[in-house]
Amino acid sequence: MAISKLLAIHEQESLYSGANSAIWYSHKLAADSARRKAREEDFVATLVTDGIPVLAERWAPLLNRKKIGLKISGVFCHGHPQVAFGTSGAQVELADLLVVHQHVGRTRATARAMLLQAKMSAGSTHTLTANDDQLALFSTWPKFNFVTGGLAVGERDLKEKGRGSRYALVLDRPAYPEEITWADQCPWGASQAVKNLCVDGSLARLIGNMLLGKDGRSFQLGKPRDDWSRTIQELLEITGKRTYKRANIKRGDTPRLTSSSIAKTGLMLFSTHGLAGAANQSSATTSLSERYFGSAYLEEHVSGGDGGADLTNKGNLRVPEGGMSSLIIETSESIG
């Protein structure tokens, strides 16, 4: 059963509030930790690492009362994958952040994804230049090719119409909630891909709506039959093979996977608050984090520059640069 049908309105609002708390906490941490002024990638890094335990702690009690198991994982990467498109061969990042929600019901599993492009902003509106290549990608979604990142070669046509992609405005300074005038007093806002970006809603509400099945674009689990589903699954797969480094917020090379259930030191953070089993578990409905990150490397890694480590090294195997910062939310209904 859809989670939206199990939660009353006030409980749904609690989901938004919990997400808001996690985002505010991670935003403040990035600003406080920065040696210099915090950058977009610093805010993304703390969101998908340090924000994870807060989000899990706020959501798990509510969902557990409805017999819904919860598992949240976060991954930070930066700078890849790059895509090229158009006659000019414009080259940009595909996106800064991938948000995925998988729900395993008693009889079937569903999954949604959202690509987010972060943009620092002093206010709740931000004007892009008319020739902004990233805007051209996000507003028209032409056919493109991956040129870095380790993903399969060949032209991609996502046929994306805005359901699975947004801009995320990030407040460019630390602020307490009562000082934030953006939607839901959240320091991250969501906007459609237009020249004049505007915080139409908070990132907290967008993430909550993905959990409720009200936002995000569906993708196929298992063997993909379209470029959108194929791309999301490939991003998850290649992301599980990297480490990261953010010198600006005092983080050296950090392993992809940590061994503790709620750790604040690693790139991959798990919160296993009573993840319940579901009927008919198959390769297409097993945990996304276990499927794509279960064999992530814990050992030696080769550092890159301030923007991130490009290669992971284990024995003679050198994993190609790639991956995308990801927030993976998994829910499951109890059989009982």
Side-chain angles (χ1 to χ4, degrees), residues 44-56:
V44 173
T46 55
L47 173 65
V48 298
T49 54
D50 302 272
I52 297 299
V54 179
L55 185 60

Side-chain angles (χ1 to χ4, degrees), residues 55-71:
L55 185 60
E57 288 165 7
R58 289 291 299 269
W59 278 8
L62 172 62
L63 295 175
N64 283 346
R65 288 196 295 271
K66 306 295 181 179
K67 297 184 178 180
I68 300 173
L70 173 68
K71 188 173 187 177

Side-chain angles (χ1 to χ4, degrees), residues 145-223:
N145 289 276
F146 284 106
V147 292
T148 72
L151 284 85
V153 298
E155 189 175 71
R156 307 285 178 112
D157 184 2
L158 300 188
K159 295 182 170 59
E160 167 56 18
K161 304 296 183 182
R163 185 70 176 174
S165 58
R166 306 283 161 76
Y167 268 82
L169 292 183
V170 183
L171 188 63
D172 66 355
R173 60 191 181 279
Y176 289 105
E178 61 268 24
E179 300 171 324
I180 301 173
T181 61
W182 297 13
D184 299 321
Q185 295 179 295
C186 182
W188 282 63
S191 172
Q192 295 292 332
V194 293
K195 180 181 177 182
N196 297 313
L197 301 176
C198 181
V199 175
D200 299 321
S202 67
L203 180 65
R205 194 158 291 264
L206 185 152
I207 293 174
N209 281 338
M210 288 189 65
L211 193 77
L212 296 170
K214 299 178 179 180
D215 211 337
R217 181 178 171 186
S218 297
F219 69 94
Q220 297 157 358
L221 294 164
K223 187 175 182 179

Side-chain angles (χ1 to χ4, degrees), residues 140-332:
T140 64
W141 283 106
K143 296 178 181 178
F144 63 83
N145 289 276
F146 284 106
V147 292
T148 72
L151 284 85
V153 298
E155 189 175 71
R156 307 285 178 112
D157 184 2
L158 300 188
K159 295 182 170 59
E160 167 56 18
K161 304 296 183 182
R163 185 70 176 174
S165 58
R166 306 283 161 76
Y167 268 82
L169 292 183
V170 183
L171 188 63
D172 66 355
R173 60 191 181 279
Y176 289 105
E178 61 268 24
E179 300 171 324
I180 301 173
T181 61
W182 297 13
D184 299 321
Q185 295 179 295
C186 182
W188 282 63
S191 172
Q192 295 292 332
V194 293
K195 180 181 177 182
N196 297 313
L197 301 176
C198 181
V199 175
D200 299 321
S202 67
L203 180 65
R205 194 158 291 264
L206 185 152
I207 293 174
N209 281 338
M210 288 189 65
L211 193 77
L212 296 170
K214 299 178 179 180
D215 211 337
R217 181 178 171 186
S218 297
F219 69 94
Q220 297 157 358
L221 294 164
K223 187 175 182 179
R225 296 188 297 273
D226 58 73
D227 280 354
W228 168 257
S229 299
R230 174 189 172 204
T231 298
I232 297 302
Q233 292 196 48
E234 285 185 7
L235 285 171
L236 291 171
E237 182 176 6
I238 197 69
T239 296
K241 300 175 181 177
R242 297 195 57 205
T243 62
Y244 87 105
K245 177 180 180 179
R246 284 303 305 156
N248 192 38
I249 52 175
K250 307 179 184 69
R251 295 184 180 179
D253 293 341
T254 305
R256 166 88 34 215
L257 183 64
T258 62
S259 58
S260 57
S261 60
I262 304 180
K264 295 186 179 182
T265 57
L267 182 55
M268 169 64 81
L269 297 176
F270 288 105
S271 176
T272 54
H273 291 268
L275 183 63
N280 300 325
Q281 291 276 347
S282 67
S283 61
T285 61
T286 52
S287 166
L288 290 178
S289 57
E290 292 175 7
R291 179 179 180 185
Y292 293 108
F293 304 109
S295 60
Y297 301 111
L298 288 163
E299 301 178 56
E300 297 176 315
H301 38 275
V302 179
S303 64
D306 184 49
D310 288 332
L311 294 173
T312 300
N313 188 19
K314 183 176 173 63
N316 294 322
L317 177 63
R318 290 174 65 81
V319 178
E321 63 187 14
M324 179 179 292
S325 293
S326 303
L327 173 61
I328 303 167
I329 303 166
E330 300 174 78
T331 53
S332 63

